[in-house]
Amino acid sequence: MTTAVRQRRRSAATRGRPRAKDAAIRAFRSWQLYVLLAPAVVFILVFKYWPMYGAQIAFRNYNPALGFTGSPWVGLDHFVRFVQSFQFGRLLENTLTINALGLLIAFPIPIVLALIVNQLSSPRFKKFTQTVLYAPNFISVVVVVGMIFLLFSPRAGVVNNVIALFGGEPVFFMGDPDWFRPLYIGSDIWQNAGFSMIVYLAALTAIDPSLHEAARVDGANKWQRIWHIDIPGIMPVITILFILAIGNLFNLGFEKVLLMQTDLNLPTSEVIQTYVYKAGLQQAQFSYSAAIGLFNSAINLVLLTTFNWVAKRAGQSTLW
């Protein structure tokens, strides 16, 4: 029997073999990799997927004594109640306004910082600048909010002391609804922009240095090299992070908002996440709060899918 005939018979046998059997053979040969993957898979199943079983309380009048399946089914009543409530418009506006302003203002800042730091010629000064910029990220949210209250205190705050020094009247920043959004967004930029900058710096290091060398030979200045080499080089990373940011457009830092809330700034500081906390834990409306949380997650999923589709149609990098 010739070698060609043997190969044809072997290939025919392979084609006739079920794909599931082939997959099992490949998995058995690489069992070490699956052992390494197993803890992560178990973690996701237990802490991410299994809790979805409890999401059914959003469609029931949940009673802890009756359990999930024993509580009466009410369908979409809690969702309708939330949409028709007088607080729905204010909660939606506050959540969307803070997140949209934060996205428009805060999202480009890490990119700009990364481009600036990447142009620093002194390695020592470059490392020092990176450390100064991302160090605030390691400060606790509670400490940051405490610093805000101290700095903007109407009596002993540094900011009001400076205002009084120039002849102005002290401002009760934490009690003024108009000042909540600027303080929240500004402090968020100070705390997180430097750490986000590290992602873009890592992407910049992956750009081929020969491109910059060729641009220098052609007479390109720093601005031209940034515009035509650096920005296109990190555009896939920018697109992915922007899609993820859009997917979290209705998610807000719950702890920080709750800590910064006062009775006077509630008109602009009450967002969906804090309302869920108050309705679910403080008022024990478990089904109602679960419905609001599920409504919020559904909107985020729609936004994430939509913008991922838009990015794919535009020929940009996407999540899937």
Side-chain angles (χ1 to χ4, degrees):
M1 185 181 295
T2 63
T3 305
V5 173
R6 290 195 187 94
Q7 290 178 349
R8 283 198 297 270
R9 289 186 176 181
R10 190 180 297 111
S11 60
T14 303
R15 285 196 300 269
R17 185 189 301 164
R19 292 184 177 181
K21 188 175 181 180
D22 290 341
I25 292 174
R26 289 195 300 268
F28 179 76
R29 290 174 180 173
S30 305
W31 65 270
Q32 298 94 335
L33 298 177
Y34 288 93
V35 170
L36 292 174
L37 185 64
V41 173
V42 171
F43 175 83
I44 292 175
L45 291 176
V46 173
F47 293 100
K48 301 296 181 181
Y49 284 95
W50 176 249
M52 291 182 182
Y53 170 76
Q56 63 178 295
I57 69 172
F59 306 94
R60 299 177 181 272
N61 273 331
Y62 177 65
N63 186 337
L66 300 176
F68 290 150
T69 56
S71 300
W73 184 269
V74 295
L76 300 176
D77 288 358
H78 297 300
F79 296 91
V80 174
R81 174 188 167 190
F82 174 61
V83 173
Q84 293 179 348
S85 66
F86 72 95
Q87 296 172 320
F88 175 75
R90 179 167 64 96
L91 294 172
L92 200 65
E93 178 186 358
N94 291 343
T95 306
L96 187 58
T97 301
I98 294 175
N99 276 323
L101 288 176
L103 183 63
L104 292 175
I105 299 173
F107 186 80
I109 290 179
I111 302 173
V112 175
L113 290 176
L115 293 173
I116 294 174
V117 172
N118 190 57
Q119 294 298 319
L120 297 177
S121 56
S122 173
R124 181 175 297 181
F125 182 66
K126 186 176 182 179
K127 292 180 180 179
F128 173 77
T129 304
Q130 292 180 33
T131 304
V132 171
L133 289 175
Y134 71 68
N137 183 262
F138 299 98
I139 302 177
S140 169
V141 174
V142 178
V143 176
V144 171
V145 175
M147 293 168 61
I148 294 173
F149 273 94
L150 289 175
L151 291 172
F152 294 93
S153 171
R155 293 185 179 181
V158 175
V159 176
N160 275 306
N161 287 337
V162 173
I163 293 175
L165 185 64
F166 286 94
E169 293 293 330
V171 180
F172 189 15
F173 290 97
M174 303 307 296
D176 189 346
D178 294 333
W179 277 103
F180 177 81
R181 292 166 183 167
L183 289 176
Y184 181 90
I185 296 172
S187 60
D188 192 65
I189 293 173
W190 173 78
Q191 186 177 14
N192 298 316
F195 194 81
S196 300
M197 172 195 70
I198 302 299
V199 178
Y200 298 107
L201 280 175
L204 286 169
T205 58
I207 297 176
D208 189 356
S210 62
L211 296 176
H212 286 278
E213 294 173 2
R216 289 193 192 96
V217 172
D218 292 338
N221 55 34
K222 283 187 177 182
W223 167 249
Q224 290 172 331
R225 286 187 280 115
I226 290 173
W227 184 257
H228 295 287
I229 298 176
D230 288 342
I231 294 180
I234 63 174
M235 187 55 68
V237 178
I238 294 175
T239 305
I240 293 295
L241 293 181
F242 184 77
I243 294 173
L244 292 174
I246 290 293
N248 286 302
L249 195 61
F250 279 82
N251 284 338
L252 205 58
F254 160 75
E255 299 89 352
K256 188 174 181 181
V257 175
L258 187 65
L259 291 169
M260 290 181 65
Q261 274 188 358
T262 63
D263 292 335
L264 298 176
N265 64 20
L266 278 178
T268 56
S269 65
E270 188 75 290
V271 296
I272 293 177
Q273 284 76 17
T274 57
Y275 183 70
V276 168
Y277 164 75
K278 294 175 182 178
L281 294 182
Q282 294 183 353
Q283 302 174 13
Q285 301 182 62
F286 303 114
S287 295
Y288 181 56
S289 61
I292 299 173
L294 195 58
F295 170 82
N296 189 59
S297 299
I299 293 180
N300 284 329
L301 179 60
V302 171
L303 289 173
L304 179 66
T305 307
T306 302
F307 276 84
N308 190 78
W309 176 81
V310 171
K312 182 179 292 186
R313 292 297 299 268
Q316 300 294 328
S317 299
T318 56
L319 295 175
W320 62 82

